[in-house]
Amino acid sequence: MIPLSQPDITDAEIRAVTDTLRSGRLSIGPRQVQFEEAVAERTGRRHAVAVSSGTCGLHLIMLALGVGPGDEVITTPFSFIASANCILYVGAKPVFVDIDPRSLNMDPEKLEKAITPRTKAIIGVEAFGNPVHMDRLAQIAQAHEIPYIEDCCEGLGGVYRGHPIGSFGRAGVFGFYPNKQITTGEGGMIVTDDDRLADLCRSMRNQGRGEMAVPANTSGLDNRGGSWLAHERLGYNYRLSEINCALGVAQMGRLDAMLEARRRVAASYIRRLMDFRDLILPTVEEELAEAMSWFVFVVRLNDTYTHVERDRIITGLRRHDIGAANYFPCIHLQPFYRERFGFAPGAFPIAESVSHRTIALPFYNTLDDTQIELVCLTLKVMLDREQLMKR
Ligand SMILES: *Cc1c(COP(=O)(O)O)cnc(C)c1O
C-alpha cells in the first residue's frame, strides 16, 4: 500500500517524546517555549502561540479581532473547511471569493469587489502550499484597513518574494496534523507581530487566565498576571501539551531537509507526468522553485472529464492500493453551508470546476522513485480506461 500521506518520524522525535515523558512536565513548560521560538524565528514573527490545532488557532484569531454576529469575513471556497468554520464559530457570515485557476488561491480582482462596510477580516489560504497572490491580497486588505489573516496551515517553511509564509498579514495560523509538512500529532501555532493580539490569544488558549499565571503545583504566584484561578476573560482550553511540543521542536530541527525531500518528490512526479495530455500539473512559478513548501501533490484532469470520471479514477487507484483523494470539495457546497446560507452550484464556477477534477496523489518525504513510478503507471492505466470508455 502506498498511502496518501505519512508522517516522517525518526529517532530524534521518539527520543524527544520519551525525554519529555521522563521529565514529569507534561503541560506548560520549556518545550512549548522552544517550539514557539522555533516557529517565530522561522516565520520572522515576534510572537508564536502554540495551540491544540490549526482550527483552534483560527478560532482564537477571530475572537481576538472581535469578529462577531453581523460581521462578514471573506475567504476562499477552495480550502479545507476549517478556513470557513472559524467564521461560523463566532457567529459571523462567510463571504466567499472565487479563485484564480492557476494558483488556486483567492483571486485578488474578485476580492476587491467582495469588500463591504461589514467586512471585518479577510482570510487568505496558500492552497496546497502555493503562496501566489499573498502579497496582493494583503495589500488590498491594508488599503481598506481590514485585518488580513493567513490560514497558512498548508505552507510552513515557504517563502514568497522574500517574505516567509505566515508573515503577510496581521496574523498567521499553522496546523500540525499528521499530513502537514511537520506534525505534532495534533497541534497548531498562531504567529503575529501584534503584542496585544498575542497576549489575548495566550490568555484565551489558557482558560482566560492572565498571561503570566503559573500552575498551582508550581512554587510562587506571579503578581503581574494573577493567579491560576483568576480568569480575566472567557477562555478555552486550547493548550498544546509538552509531548506535542517536543515532537514539534524535533520536527522543526529537520524542516529544511523535509522540505527539500518534498521538493524532490514533487519534481519527480512532474518529470514523469509532464507528457500525460489529460493532466494539468500544479503550476508553480519559476520564482518559487527554491522556496515552495509542498503540502500535497494535486493534479487536475482537463475539462473533458466529469467529476464522476474523476471519482472513478480515484476509486481505481485505491483498488490498486494507492492512496488518492478529491482535495478539496468546495466549502460553500458542503451540506450545512448550502442549508444555512442557500449556496447552490454555479456560485463560484472556477473553484467548482477545479474541485470536480482534482486528484491528490500519494505525497510524503520518504516516497521513493519506484513508488512514484508505480503511482504514475497506475494513473496512466486509469486514464487510458476512461478514454476507451468515452468512445
Ligand atoms: C489542515 C488545515 C487546517 C486545520 O488544521 P487542524 O490542525 O487539523 O485543525 C486549517 N486550514 C487549512 C487550509 C488546512 O489545510
Side-chain angles (χ1 to χ4, degrees), residues 53-55 58 79-80 82-83 125 151 153-154 175-177 180 187 295:
S53 69
T55 306
L58 291 167
S79 183
F80 181 62
S83 305
V125 180
D151 172 353
C153 284
E154 302 184 0
F176 308 122
Y177 184 75
K180 311 283 181 179
F295 167 47

Side-chain angles (χ1 to χ4, degrees), residues 99-106 127-128 130-133 283 285:
I99 58 171
D100 150 29
R102 279 174 62 80
S103 64
L104 310 184
N105 290 335
M106 210 190 300
F128 309 143
N130 188 331
V132 165
H133 300 323
T283 34
E285 318 292 329

